[in-house]
Amino acid sequence: MHASSGSPAGPATGPGQATPASPAAGQPSSGSGPGRSAPRGRGAGLGLALLSALAFGGSGVAAKPLIEAGLEPLHVTWLRVAGAALVMLPIAWRHRDLPRRRPALLAGFGLLAVAGVQACYFAAISRIPVGVALLIEYLAPALVLGWVRFVQKRPVTRAAAVGVVLAVSGLACVVEVWSGLSFDVVGLALALGAACCQVGYFVLSDHGADDEDSADPLGVIAYGLLIGAVVLTVIARPWGMDWSVLGGGAEMNGVRLPAAALLAWIVLVATVAAYLTGVVSIRRLSPQVAGVVACLEAVIATVLAWVLLGEHLSAPQIAGGAVVLCGAFIAQSAKPKSTQTVVVAGAGAQSGDLAGAGAPADAAAPVAAAPPAGSEDDLAAGSRAT
């Protein structure tokens, strides 16, 4: 992936002078690239993933007072996406060539990562309990692993698989799925549709990240929000919304706040900042690792509801949150192995002794070793083949 293509270039040498030697066989290449295998890039990716989870998780505590003030949940969703699309409109204009270069990527991101997740989730909670819908939606990390393993035919790291199992198990406790089990087939299918759309978010966010002509994540998010806003406009029908609510106030745990301020938080932090940090973190990590870290959104949402809305946590919820944290830590701790540059033999241009012996100039060349079977770089590259 990041293997050196040859020996370092040096000053011109005269006959009999040796150029700097190439790395020994099996020795890691000293070159460093921008890929996600660099420790600094991975650490930054994890930090961005946590910020994204915090931003997404904070949407509910700001949306609930607006809903209690008289807005429909679907109208709050439309305001969230449409407002974010307006904020990102200058970015879309700056990247106005992107629809011509990557039309399928933008359409997929807008339909799946923005509109699809929102529409399926809100339709699901109208038929089944919120906890059940949330748990099914956050099966997305497991589905990402299934996509990598069975669709792309690539190996999955054991740490990522264990992390998913722990995260989903802990999430079941966080949402207290046993408190309202329902077997509405349509509702369960809609919740599963939201999970599949989340898979699209993780996979499409990573699509083409290492290409020389890769799509700028800012442009992808901007056009994705624009497309999502158009689709949600048809679904939500905002012309029937009670717009007067936005000019008043809303109660948050006994404190009255301006409704416009809550909406600004939802748009700027819980949507724009959340998508920006989320997409960049996926490109620095990998879809499967970022997906497990995203399970923290439910934990963060529950904790914020406890602190800001007075919704107290039960002992199983606290224990489940700890399990989710353990799962996310295990999944992100599996560091990919770096690729290596192997030199079969020194070429004439690399060794004065070989040159003097009459070795042909093309007698040998560095051969890049293949990445290890379990390398997360290898897994992440596969997700960009979709």
Side-chain angles (χ1 to χ4, degrees):
M1 301 291 290
H2 303 296
S4 170
S5 59
S7 61
T13 58
Q17 289 181 314
T19 58
S22 299
Q27 180 180 354
S29 171
S30 60
S32 61
R36 68 193 85 203
S37 60
R40 179 177 298 179
R42 186 179 179 83
L46 178 60
L48 290 171
L50 293 174
L51 286 176
S52 179
L54 179 62
F56 274 124
S59 63
V61 294
K64 186 169 183 178
L66 293 177
I67 294 172
E68 292 176 346
L71 290 179
E72 296 291 332
L74 199 53
H75 289 160
V76 174
T77 304
W78 178 83
L79 286 169
R80 172 186 185 179
V81 175
L86 287 177
V87 172
M88 297 293 288
L89 196 57
I91 304 296
W93 174 254
R94 181 179 178 183
H95 296 278
R96 54 189 178 276
D97 63 324
L98 203 52
R100 175 181 55 81
R101 292 169 45 215
R102 299 292 178 91
L105 173 61
L106 300 183
F109 194 86
L111 293 175
L112 296 177
V114 179
V117 173
Q118 306 287 344
C120 287
Y121 175 72
F122 279 103
I125 63 176
S126 67
R127 306 181 67 98
I128 61 176
V130 174
V132 177
L134 192 61
L135 176 63
I136 295 175
E137 180 182 347
Y138 277 95
L139 289 175
L143 297 178
V144 169
L145 289 183
W147 174 273
V148 173
R149 180 66 184 88
F150 299 108
V151 178
Q152 297 178 340
K153 307 295 184 182
R154 294 181 176 271
V156 172
T157 60
R158 182 178 300 176
V162 171
V164 166
V165 172
L166 287 176
V168 173
S169 301
L171 191 60
C173 296
V174 172
V175 301
E176 293 185 331
V177 64
W178 56 82
S179 65
L181 290 176
S182 175
F183 295 99
D184 187 301
V185 176
V186 176
L188 293 175
L190 288 169
L192 185 60
C196 292
C197 289
Q198 277 233 41
V199 173
Y201 163 70
F202 292 117
V203 173
L204 291 174
S205 295
D206 191 56
H207 184 77
D210 289 340
D211 295 345
E212 291 183 0
D213 190 31
S214 62
D216 190 295
L218 290 176
V220 173
I221 296 168
Y223 279 100
L225 288 170
L226 285 171
I227 295 171
V230 172
V231 174
L232 288 173
T233 298
V234 177
I235 298 174
R237 300 179 180 181
W239 45 85
M241 182 174 59
D242 185 4
W243 292 89
S244 62
V245 174
L246 299 178
E251 295 284 339
M252 178 183 285
N253 198 21
V255 179
R256 189 164 183 82
L257 299 172
L262 293 173
L263 179 60
W265 173 272
I266 295 174
V267 169
L268 298 177
V269 177
T271 307
V272 175
Y275 272 106
L276 289 176
T277 52
V279 170
V280 175
S281 71
I282 292 170
R283 293 194 175 194
R284 287 180 176 266
L285 297 170
S286 65
Q288 60 269 30
V289 173
V292 176
V293 178
C295 288
L296 293 175
E297 293 172 21
V299 179
I300 292 169
T302 306
V303 172
L304 290 177
W306 180 18
V307 175
L308 299 178
L309 300 179
E311 298 179 354
H312 297 290
L313 295 176
S314 64
Q317 285 178 312
I318 296 174
V323 173
V324 173
L325 287 172
C326 291
F329 175 78
I330 291 174
Q332 66 84 29
S333 64
K335 296 182 179 179
K337 300 178 182 178
S338 59
T339 56
Q340 297 177 343
T341 299
V342 179
V343 178
V344 177
Q350 295 172 335
S351 170
D353 294 338
L354 287 176
D362 59 349
V367 179
S375 166
E376 286 184 8
D377 269 355
D378 192 36
L379 297 179
S383 66
R384 293 185 288 277
T386 58

